[in-house]
Amino acid sequence: MDNASATPFDANGRLRHLLTLEGLPRAMIVALLDRADDLRAQSRGGTRPLDLLRGRTVINLFFEPSTRTRTSFDLAAQRLGAQVINFDIASSSTVKGETLLDTVHTLEAMHCDAFVVRHKESGTPEFIAANLRSNAAVLNAGDGNRAHPTQGLLDALTLRRHVADFSRLCVAICGDIRHSRVARSDVHALAALGVREIRLCAPPELAPQASEFPQCRIFHDFDEAIADVDVAIMLRLQKERMQAAAIPSEAEYFQRYGLSAQRLRRAAPDCRVMHPGPINRGVEIASDVADGPQSLILEQVANGVFVRMATLAELLADKA
Ligand code: CP
């Protein structure tokens, strides 16, 4: 993507687009998490429709597959009273060669208030935001290996519901860090919220440049990385973003980097287990751990709806 830039804040310092958590002030992250909890209460856990976004139109533009993010943005917008269009890329004129920006400008001409964008190329949501012809907001639903800001927020919200004091927490993020937009957004959220220690663990082939994560300790040995941690966030192997044979075999990967019940016993006794999904059972996480009492995986999914309600409300409610 071009090096276009878009300002995330408007002239009043309000959030204009949600492109990344990098650089977002702690107070703004906390306000979004508080708003998610408020909307959870107001909507009685999502069972009572609200009308905060009545008359608004949200377009989901997903150029990559998604279950959790797309469905939860759809539900979030609908539960706030907005109209939602799930733009179907496969049956759209993009397959006839229409450019990304021509598609966006065409949709803007019909009027919409927000684009929720997922794309395999890093920088696409920012590129769209920088080239809009309307006052629409852009929400990044995951771009390449760069950012997945609502995942970072929902992971922070999930942890906050279990842990009062982040300054005592040691968190390990394990797996394919190099290709992971979730790891990047989680680090931005957790560091902003004052987590004491963030460990990143990956095989050397899937490790990031240390200079990209100056606030983290990098490990290649999972048994070392998981020792005494309070939270283990497991990541999927992003095969769609890696060169063939970047890892030896899934069985060997699980042996060295998979979270088994035996390995989890090396962590703190009440260590929480998280995973953004989709999970690959027996590759990065054992089934009995994914489904076990320490797992927060489905809580993360549930919290995703409230975080997306909060971000849509923040960007669209009370705006002309
Ligand atoms: N965690 C996440 O982004 O999942 P989906 O790809 O299903 O949206």
Side-chain angles (χ1 to χ4, degrees):
M1 268 310 128
D2 293 6
N3 275 335
S5 65
T7 314
F9 304 108
D10 67 16
N12 300 317
R14 264 188 77 169
L15 205 54
R16 162 102 178 79
H17 305 288
L18 182 65
L19 303 173
T20 175
L21 298 182
E22 191 172 7
L24 276 203
R26 175 192 175 116
M28 196 169 270
I29 293 177
V30 171
L32 283 167
L33 302 186
D34 291 346
R35 191 161 199 172
D37 276 335
D38 282 350
L39 288 166
R40 182 200 312 272
Q42 279 181 50
S43 69
R44 296 194 189 128
T47 59
R48 178 171 170 255
L50 303 175
D51 63 1
L52 216 54
L53 298 187
R54 192 171 47 199
R56 305 291 181 152
T57 303
V58 175
I59 300 189
N60 279 332
L61 268 182
F62 278 62
F63 293 87
E64 260 193 355
S66 167
T67 296
R68 281 144 286 269
T69 313
R70 177 165 154 160
T71 308
S72 58
F73 262 116
D74 190 346
L75 286 172
Q78 290 193 48
R79 287 176 183 171
L80 291 172
Q83 179 181 39
V84 183
I85 305 293
N86 282 304
F87 185 76
D88 182 2
I89 308 290
S91 63
S92 74
S93 288
T94 51
V95 295
K96 298 181 200 162
E98 187 168 72
T99 68
L100 175 66
L101 283 185
D102 282 334
T103 300
V104 167
H105 295 151
T106 299
L107 296 170
E108 282 185 287
M110 296 184 224
H111 182 76
C112 65
D113 297 285
F115 290 105
V116 178
V117 180
R118 170 170 288 192
H119 203 284
K120 68 176 187 204
E121 278 201 52
S122 298
T124 303
E126 187 173 8
F127 175 71
I128 291 174
N131 288 284
L132 289 175
R133 293 181 177 166
S134 70
N135 200 29
V138 176
L139 294 96
N140 183 358
D143 64 326
N145 67 359
R146 183 165 178 246
H148 194 348
T150 53
Q151 183 73 46
L153 291 171
L154 78 87
D155 287 348
L157 181 69
T158 303
L159 265 184
R160 199 175 76 157
R161 291 173 67 76
H162 288 267
V163 182
D165 183 0
F166 276 26
S167 72
R168 300 164 72 99
L169 276 186
C170 178
V171 177
I173 305 177
C174 309
D176 180 6
I177 308 280
R178 180 174 296 176
H179 300 102
S180 176
R181 54 198 178 210
V182 174
R184 286 167 175 80
S185 287
D186 278 355
V187 168
H188 289 140
L190 298 177
L193 294 172
V195 164
R196 176 174 61 83
E197 182 176 350
I198 305 175
R199 302 177 181 179
L200 301 180
C201 179
E205 308 86 325
L206 301 176
Q209 297 286 338
S211 57
E212 197 190 342
F213 293 98
Q215 63 280 69
C216 303
R217 286 177 67 194
I218 296 186
F219 293 75
H220 301 303
D221 181 325
F222 192 17
D223 288 321
E224 264 180 45
I226 200 166
D228 302 319
V229 299
D230 304 298
V231 182
I233 301 178
M234 303 306 296
L235 300 174
R236 181 176 69 88
L237 288 172
Q238 312 261 306
K239 287 189 200 150
E240 67 276 26
R241 287 183 236 294
M242 73 176 67
Q243 311 225 325
I247 56 150
S249 74
E250 289 184 349
E252 193 177 325
Y253 181 84
F254 181 73
Q255 201 62 33
R256 293 179 57 202
Y257 292 99
L259 186 58
S260 60
Q262 185 189 16
R263 198 165 255 143
L264 183 56
R265 285 195 279 276
R266 297 178 64 81
D270 58 350
C271 174
R272 270 77 177 192
V273 174
M274 300 174 69
H275 192 307
I279 61 174
N280 287 310
R281 294 170 184 266
V283 180
E284 70 270 1
I285 190 165
S287 270
D288 57 346
V289 175
D291 301 330
Q294 289 166 257
S295 170
L296 304 182
I297 294 172
L298 292 179
E299 279 186 45
Q300 291 171 263
V301 175
N303 288 328
V305 179
F306 302 112
V307 154
R308 285 157 185 143
M309 287 170 83
T311 53
L312 286 166
E314 184 68 26
L315 291 168
L316 302 185
D318 315 320
K319 282 195 179 166

